[in-house]
Amino acid sequence: MLAALINAVRPLCQGDDPDVVIDAIGGASAGSMTGLLAARCLTGGFDPVEIMIRAWVTGDPIQQLLHTSGDSPLSSSKLRKLAEQLLGAASDPVRGSQTKPVRLVMMLGCLRGLAYKAEEPGRPEVEATTYVDLATFEIDQHWTPDRFLEPALSSPVDVALASGANPIGFPPQLLDRRSAAGSYRANGLTLPPEGFLWYTDGGTLDNEPLGHTLDLTNDLDQGCPDGTARVHVLIHPDPAGGPLGGAWADRNQEPTWLETLMRADHLQRTQNLYDDLRAVVKTNTRIEWLDSVIGALNEVVAKLGPEAKQELATSLSQVLGRITDELKALPAHRDAHSFAASDEVTALVDLSVRLAAGVSDKQTVGLEVVSPTSLAEREKVPVASLLAGVALGHFGGFFDENLRQSDFDLGYQCALEWVAGGLARYGLDPVKVELAKDSAAGAYQPQELWRKWGGTSLGDIAKRHPMALAELIGQLGRVSARDMLVMHHRNNPHYRGPDRPASA
């Protein structure tokens, strides 16, 4: 999907005054590495089809990832070597690059947690902990390969691998967060003195980064000229919509324990998406309501006499001063600016209402979702029958390149169909829309491989790759036995290993 979108905007994002810019990307789990590769392709002029296929189709078979030191079922070091090749100078730029920088935010699951105080003016502080951490980078045309790979333990590649370290298969990743210490302090979060933290897959806690990209773009949009349209395109390859027929609703067919476990995991990861979507719809609606309320208030204000207007302006100025003072006392708002003084009472009404409603820095945004849903509806089949690699908790694709290629082509096709209508909905010139469509379609022609490989089950994988599946199961057993022994020693007061000093 990302490869198609990048190819579509390629002819429109170049130059000093581009028609379309991808200026913010949010990623969680595998989406963090995909987002990093997308930013590299955009700003470096690289072919996204080649890069994404090397990353996700030909570059990560289970047979290679299983070759580990025994501390986890799959190897992160193999993925890092692949990332170094993809982000290095292995490929030459083939097309024009986007001139504007890309802000990339990646979600991380912090195993220790970050302490903070939940503060509210006039009320006692509440000690709290968050396990969601964020890392943000701004990537532009001038980034060299070294900028992606260094410094060790805090580079964009290290962060992306930590964000995608799914705990089912990969070990936790250590990151050096000392360079972000100022950001932690500004947000009232307590970083351990050493500055190092262990992380796991950010998608386990926050799988849909829409809310965080909204935070990024609120800042970016402050400098946009009037008439600029902001569109958030959510790439959602596996929507967990209500199944067709009687699935999960048949009183005579009790779900198995394993089915329930896998379904619950899927629901947990998808619920954040729908919460974010609902929040966007609510915010858009409330901004429109506020516009109507403020307009009605100012119609009345316009009819007031000079003395009444001055009295209202004085009262609102006092209220705004108190609000901004209290905002600055909260960690996330300590850098808040004082409101601009104004003699216009209508401007004071506007600002005070929006600030009290919490939308003073927000504007309505477009929201688009690219997913296989439209294709599934047209073919009158469930989405699950289109996807090939989602078995075994989305690890099924690691077993067979055919499954990965099928899902790649499916995603490209879905994005091609969105480009035709999605860009036109926001006022882009029809000639430019056609240019985008031709650019994406001319760069790659997907095949309907999903007709053969879609709906591949765990049983199908077991038949085609029994040795690889058996090796994975064996590795799971070996790692589990090793870890239980390690935990036993760590809890033994007489143990004097590297984790417990002799003086303990």
Side-chain angles (χ1 to χ4, degrees):
M1 290 181 179
L2 263 175
L5 291 176
I6 293 171
N7 278 327
V9 305
R10 179 82 72 188
L12 307 177
C13 69
Q14 302 176 42
D16 295 331
D17 187 24
D19 296 290
V20 178
V21 169
I22 298 177
D23 60 353
I25 299 175
S29 194
S32 291
M33 181 57 74
T34 311
L36 183 60
L37 294 174
R40 175 64 163 156
C41 291
L42 272 168
T43 59
F46 296 99
D47 180 0
V49 171
E50 178 197 351
I51 295 295
M52 296 299 182
I53 284 181
R54 286 173 59 195
W56 298 115
V57 178
T58 62
D60 51 6
I62 196 82
Q63 290 81 359
Q64 290 184 11
L65 297 177
L66 277 169
H67 295 163
T68 75
S69 60
D71 58 351
S72 63
L74 302 178
S75 170
S76 293
S77 62
K78 303 284 185 181
L79 291 181
R80 196 182 201 287
K81 289 180 181 178
L82 177 60
E84 291 173 355
Q85 296 170 4
L86 294 171
L87 293 164
S91 298
D92 294 324
V94 295
R95 302 188 178 192
S97 59
Q98 178 173 289
T99 52
K100 303 296 183 181
V102 180
R103 288 192 187 180
L104 173 67
V105 59
M106 294 184 274
M107 270 54 74
L108 297 154
C110 181
L111 291 172
R112 174 191 173 101
L114 298 162
Y116 68 98
K117 292 180 172 62
E119 300 176 79
E120 185 177 351
R123 297 181 183 273
E125 295 178 346
V126 177
E127 297 287 342
T129 303
T130 179
Y131 299 94
V132 176
D133 200 357
L134 305 174
T136 303
F137 300 91
E138 185 165 282
I139 300 167
D140 60 34
Q141 289 179 301
H142 306 293
W143 272 46
T144 62
D146 289 346
R147 292 285 297 276
F148 291 92
L149 305 173
E150 298 175 358
L153 299 183
S154 61
S155 70
V157 165
D158 290 315
V159 172
L161 290 174
S163 177
N166 188 296
I168 295 177
F170 297 100
Q173 300 292 303
L174 181 67
L175 293 180
D176 180 354
R177 302 296 286 152
R178 288 176 293 181
S179 61
S183 177
Y184 286 114
R185 284 193 300 270
N187 287 283
L189 298 171
T190 302
L191 187 68
E194 299 82 2
F196 292 86
L197 289 166
W198 288 97
Y199 290 92
T200 188
D201 184 351
T204 58
L205 301 172
D206 194 354
N207 197 42
E208 300 299 342
L210 178 59
H212 301 298
T213 52
L214 283 166
D215 292 338
L216 278 184
T217 56
N218 285 337
D219 179 36
L220 291 171
D221 289 346
Q222 299 303 311
C224 285
D226 293 339
T228 301
R230 163 68 61 190
V231 185
H232 287 263
V233 181
L234 180 66
I235 295 177
H236 193 40
D238 188 12
L244 301 176
W248 304 97
D250 187 345
R251 62 184 297 181
N252 297 314
Q253 183 174 323
E254 180 181 353
T256 66
W257 170 80
L258 186 57
E259 287 174 334
T260 303
L261 179 64
M262 296 177 68
R263 178 67 173 170
D265 177 70
H266 195 178
L267 295 180
Q268 177 191 5
R269 289 169 172 266
T270 305
Q271 185 61 41
N272 288 336
L273 161 68
Y274 297 124
D275 289 342
D276 278 349
L277 289 174
R278 186 168 55 183
V280 172
V281 172
K282 278 186 175 181
T283 302
N284 279 344
T285 302
R286 286 176 176 172
I287 291 173
E288 292 169 359
W289 289 347
L290 280 172
D291 290 340
S292 299
V293 170
I294 292 168
L297 287 173
N298 281 331
E299 285 180 7
V300 176
V301 169
K303 299 175 183 178
L304 297 176
E307 185 176 342
K309 285 184 179 180
Q310 182 58 47
E311 184 178 350
L312 179 58
T314 301
S315 296
L316 289 176
S317 296
Q318 292 173 350
V319 170
L320 283 169
R322 180 169 60 84
I323 291 175
T324 52
D325 286 344
E326 291 181 356
L327 279 175
K328 289 180 179 180
L330 301 176
H333 299 277
R334 280 178 182 151
D335 295 329
H337 299 292
S338 299
F339 68 92
S342 175
D343 295 328
E344 289 289 333
V345 67
T346 53
L348 291 171
V349 169
D350 187 293
L351 180 57
S352 59
V353 172
R354 295 186 191 280
L355 194 59
V359 296
S360 60
D361 60 344
K362 293 179 172 60
Q363 60 182 335
T364 56
V365 297
L367 179 62
E368 300 283 328
V369 179
V370 184
S371 82
T373 303
S374 57
L375 179 59
E377 291 174 350
R378 187 169 66 246
E379 295 287 333
K380 294 181 170 54
V381 296
V383 170
S385 69
L386 303 177
L387 298 164
V390 297
L392 201 62
H394 292 81
F395 276 82
F398 284 112
F399 285 87
D400 197 316
E401 185 174 322
N402 292 305
L403 307 185
R404 303 193 292 274
Q405 186 68 59
S406 176
D407 282 342
F408 182 92
D409 282 24
L410 174 65
Y412 205 95
Q413 180 62 41
C414 293
L416 283 179
E417 295 183 7
W418 176 84
V419 167
L423 291 177
R425 280 191 281 275
Y426 298 92
L428 189 65
D429 186 294
V431 175
K432 302 288 179 64
V433 174
E434 288 299 317
L435 181 61
K437 288 167 54 179
D438 293 343
S439 177
Y444 184 75
Q445 279 297 315
Q447 302 179 56
E448 292 186 337
L449 299 176
W450 58 267
R451 295 190 183 277
K452 178 178 180 180
W453 299 106
T456 297
S457 66
L458 179 57
D460 297 328
I461 293 173
K463 290 178 182 178
R464 290 180 56 82
H465 303 280
M467 296 302 296
L469 185 59
E471 189 174 352
L472 174 61
I473 294 172
Q475 180 74 344
L476 286 168
R478 288 190 293 272
V479 172
S480 298
R482 169 194 172 276
D483 285 358
M484 285 190 287
L485 185 60
V486 169
M487 288 187 291
H488 169 73
H489 284 318
R490 287 178 179 173
N491 292 324
N492 185 342
H494 302 292
Y495 175 61
R496 296 188 179 184
D499 299 291
R500 186 184 293 274
S503 59

